Amino acid sequence: MQQFETLLTEITSNIITVTINRPDKLNALNKACMQELDALFTTIEEDESIRCVIITGAGPKAFVAGADIAELHELTPEEAKSVSEFGQSVFNKIELLAKPVIAAINGFALGGGAELAWSCHIRIAAENARFGQPEINLGLIPGYAGTQRLARMLPRTKAYELLLTGDAFDAATALHYGLVSKVTKAEELLPAAGELAEKLAQKPAKVVSLLLKALQSAAETFQLDGQSLEASLFSSCFCTEDFKEGTSAFLEKRKPIFKHR
Ligand code: COA
């Protein structure tokens, strides 16, 4: 695995933990960090030994406190458009990854940090996590697809309220909104993410990738088109060795041994 300036990576038994590592800036996403995330997720996509990803932030205070405001401050409108388009492409790469991505949110997830979390497949949060899209208070709107993802995940009235006020909210509220699936004590966050990742890494990897493709299309497609894609992906499962193994194991009353083929 390559070395990065702003990211830490650790691989244990088919799971990669990616830590955004700028704790002195509350892990704010600068240009280097976005470029490194882009490169790393290409590697993760290509590396068949990796079956699940955990993303978290370094230090006890922040997951990611936003895009780097010092860098934003200097941009021309033209540069801002490219920054937004590149950021969207990086987060799309995360959302469209053919392996599950878990956000382990260990503190502030604001602005670009919230948008990073929204692009992950499953989010779990520590009790001290604080979420928000405060861009409006900086004279901005979200630029890494936060307006699009949040408006699709929340009831419209709540999305409008949160984006227009820029107000932050805590982990319990995020759980109530359905934006995270679990809240843990701070010290239990990474163990909980690890346990979930281990569970997902044991599922048949090819079939997981087909399932993710079906789920990823759900937000983007008319239902009948989505159903047609689902039928094709369902049929593709029947080409995998793991489908034969999973169904044989059930019929033979034993546990399946998946080979991820
Ligand atoms: N971009 C650049 N630097 C940031 C940052 C960001 N999004 N968020 C925090 N930092 C930096 C601070 O400037 C500070 O750097 P310094 O020590 O060199 O002055 C350092 O991280 C620590 O932050 P600080 O503000 O001192 O911590 P705090 O505990 O008092 O406040 C926050 C924490 C999250 C409330 C506050 O940092 C904040 O409001 N950050 C910006 C959040 C935001 O608007 N994000 C959306 C950006 S689009």
Side-chain angles (χ1 to χ4, degrees), residues 92 95-96 148-149 152 213-223 225-226 229:
N92 288 347
E95 184 171 35
L96 297 177
Q148 302 306 300
R149 289 203 173 89
R152 283 166 170 77
K213 204 169 197 178
L215 285 166
Q216 285 149 356
S217 85
E220 318 302 335
T221 323
F222 288 115
Q223 177 153 344
D225 295 335
L229 175 67

Side-chain angles (χ1 to χ4, degrees), residues 24-26 28 61 65-69 72 108 110-111 134-135 138:
D24 54 326
K25 296 290 178 194
L26 303 186
K61 262 180 89 169
D68 190 308
I69 298 170
L72 292 183
F108 292 113
L110 301 173
E135 287 88 344
L138 295 163

Side-chain angles (χ1 to χ4, degrees), residues 78-195:
E78 292 73 26
E79 289 166 340
K81 185 144 192 269
S82 324
V83 164
S84 172
E85 286 169 350
F86 178 63
Q88 289 175 0
S89 77
V90 177
F91 288 4
N92 288 347
K93 199 180 263 190
I94 295 174
E95 184 171 35
L96 297 177
L97 193 76
K99 317 167 187 212
V101 185
I102 301 167
I105 301 152
N106 56 311
F108 292 113
L110 301 173
E115 291 169 296
L116 172 61
W118 311 147
S119 72
C120 296
H121 301 139
I122 300 180
R123 286 164 288 283
I124 59 179
E127 281 170 346
N128 67 321
R130 271 190 89 67
F131 298 83
Q133 299 280 177
E135 287 88 344
I136 191 74
N137 300 322
L138 295 163
L140 272 178
I141 69 168
Y144 296 165
T147 59
Q148 302 306 300
R149 289 203 173 89
L150 206 53
R152 283 166 170 77
M153 285 195 292
L154 287 173
R156 284 171 76 80
T157 181
K158 207 26 106 179
Y160 275 64
E161 181 201 325
L162 291 176
L163 286 158
L164 285 168
T165 62
D167 288 349
F169 52 97
D170 63 14
T173 308
L175 184 65
H176 175 68
Y177 293 157
L179 290 172
V180 301
S181 43
K182 187 174 182 168
V183 176
T184 71
K185 293 194 184 311
E187 64 277 15
E188 287 165 12
L189 180 68
L190 285 179
E195 205 174 296

